Amino acid sequence: MARLLLFNKPFGVLSQFTDRGSPTVRSTLSDFIDMKGVYPAGRLDRDSEGLLLLCDDGRLQARIADPRFKMPKTYLVQVEGDPQEAELERLRRGVRLNDGLTLPADIDRIAPPDLWPRDPPIRQRKMIPDTWLKITIREGRNRQVRRMTAAVGLPTLRLVRWSIGDWSVAGIAPGQSAELALTSGSIDGIR
């Protein structure tokens, strides 16, 4: 049996258990998770929130994190501006970044989601609108969603990873987790 932990990572928390060498104290996973032998399957930037998967099985960890498996990752993204269809279509087709063209993404405008408050709150600008997007990607480059939205002139204000494959952060409060047990056969069937 493999253990899988679905963790709702708060804003400002590093996706690692230690923070050696930093001149300032930063919050890490060890502030929230007291389970031995689990490791992050992938990463989520310090300034992003939401679902981070941790597991104790190397094969499962690779299946989740390795880009060749193209596991879908869905983000709720608040961007600065009012995206027009042309910007959204560029994101859907793939955006050229400094490390190459991204794979096509699924993009939808959504109503502001009912999320937990972020601490600190995002900046509000009276004269500049903001919009929420639901973005699903199938790769995992460093800061990819933020770089994609910036490339089309829509800076990201808030980024929440909502799901990875069939696993979601729905119902899990920030800083909390839910544990699942997976059999060897269920690991093979993960897409």
Side-chain angles (χ1 to χ4, degrees):
M1 285 288 225
R3 290 184 307 169
L4 179 68
L5 200 64
L6 286 64
F7 175 60
N8 188 346
K9 187 189 88 60
F11 178 86
V13 175
L14 294 173
S15 294
Q16 56 198 43
F17 283 96
T18 62
D19 186 26
R20 294 188 185 109
S22 176
T24 59
V25 175
R26 299 184 296 181
S27 187
T28 67
L29 297 177
S30 61
D31 296 326
F32 299 91
I33 298 169
D34 187 25
M35 181 183 292
K36 302 294 181 207
V38 294
Y39 301 95
R43 62 190 178 279
L44 189 59
D45 298 323
R46 184 174 176 226
D47 54 354
S48 298
E49 311 161 67
L51 184 61
L52 181 66
L53 299 176
L54 297 97
C55 62
D56 64 353
D57 181 280
R59 201 167 55 119
L60 175 59
Q61 191 174 19
R63 179 79 86 181
I64 294 167
D66 193 318
R68 68 186 158 137
F69 291 109
K70 295 181 176 48
M71 184 170 277
K73 299 168 198 71
T74 300
Y75 299 83
L76 305 182
V77 185
Q78 185 178 19
V79 296
E80 187 174 272
D82 181 18
Q84 302 304 303
E85 193 56 33
E87 287 103 359
L88 298 179
E89 194 53 39
R90 282 182 62 200
L91 292 168
R92 288 182 186 117
R93 284 193 318 262
V95 178
R96 180 148 313 277
L97 303 175
N98 62 358
D99 56 353
L101 187 66
T102 64
L103 292 175
D106 298 328
I107 310 287
D108 292 302
R109 285 177 84 116
I110 60 171
D114 185 21
L115 295 172
W116 53 87
R118 194 187 90 173
D119 183 24
I122 64 144
R123 69 180 191 277
Q124 296 288 332
R125 297 169 82 180
K126 291 181 183 179
M127 304 308 280
I128 300 176
D130 61 73
T131 305
W132 281 90
L133 302 173
K134 180 180 173 184
I135 300 177
T136 301
I137 61 173
R138 287 169 179 79
E139 54 189 334
R141 300 180 195 189
N142 187 38
R143 301 181 67 81
Q144 180 175 340
V145 172
R146 291 178 187 280
R147 293 189 299 139
M148 288 172 65
T149 61
V152 298
L154 301 166
T156 293
L157 301 172
R158 186 174 182 190
L159 188 141
V160 177
R161 182 159 55 200
W162 190 253
S163 65
I164 299 173
D166 293 333
W167 300 299
S168 170
V169 75
I172 304 172
Q176 301 298 309
S177 59
E179 184 178 355
L180 301 175
L182 300 174
T183 63
S184 180
S186 64
I187 292 171
D188 294 332
I190 293 172
R191 311 186 278 278

